[in-house]
Amino acid sequence: MNRQRLFSFGLMVWQTHGLSHDQLLRIVSAKKRYSPQFRAAALRHLVAAAPVSITGGRPFAERRRHVRAHYRV
């Protein structure tokens, strides 16, 4: 990943930091409205906030798959 894309993704993660759970779900599920990078930044916060009953203490990639399946996004 080049430096500009990494900086841009970090900025998107920062922009989505204070959003509520419902807003994050709307962003992740709105494929035509938001860019894939912005939706990935919102999904990162959903994965971090997901309860252990969903994630099971697994590595990040597996947790992300379980969270997406749980919320059907």
Side-chain angles (χ1 to χ4, degrees):
M1 210 182 240
N2 66 17
R3 191 175 284 173
Q4 179 61 31
R5 285 184 63 197
L6 187 61
F7 177 77
S8 176
F9 183 71
L11 184 62
M12 290 178 200
V13 170
W14 179 75
Q15 289 171 338
T16 56
H17 175 68
L19 299 178
S20 70
H21 185 77
D22 294 332
Q23 290 173 323
L24 291 171
L25 278 174
R26 270 190 258 134
I27 290 170
V28 171
S29 60
K31 292 184 179 181
K32 293 184 179 182
R33 186 170 181 167
Y34 299 105
S35 70
Q37 292 84 10
F38 194 71
R39 290 182 12 245
L43 181 62
R44 182 172 286 268
H45 290 295
L46 280 177
V47 171
V52 178
S53 61
I54 297 171
T55 61
R58 296 177 177 94
F60 181 78
E62 234 179 302
R63 286 187 318 197
R64 185 180 61 221
R65 285 191 292 271
H66 285 275
V67 168
R68 288 186 68 140
H70 178 75
Y71 292 120
R72 294 182 182 101
V73 290

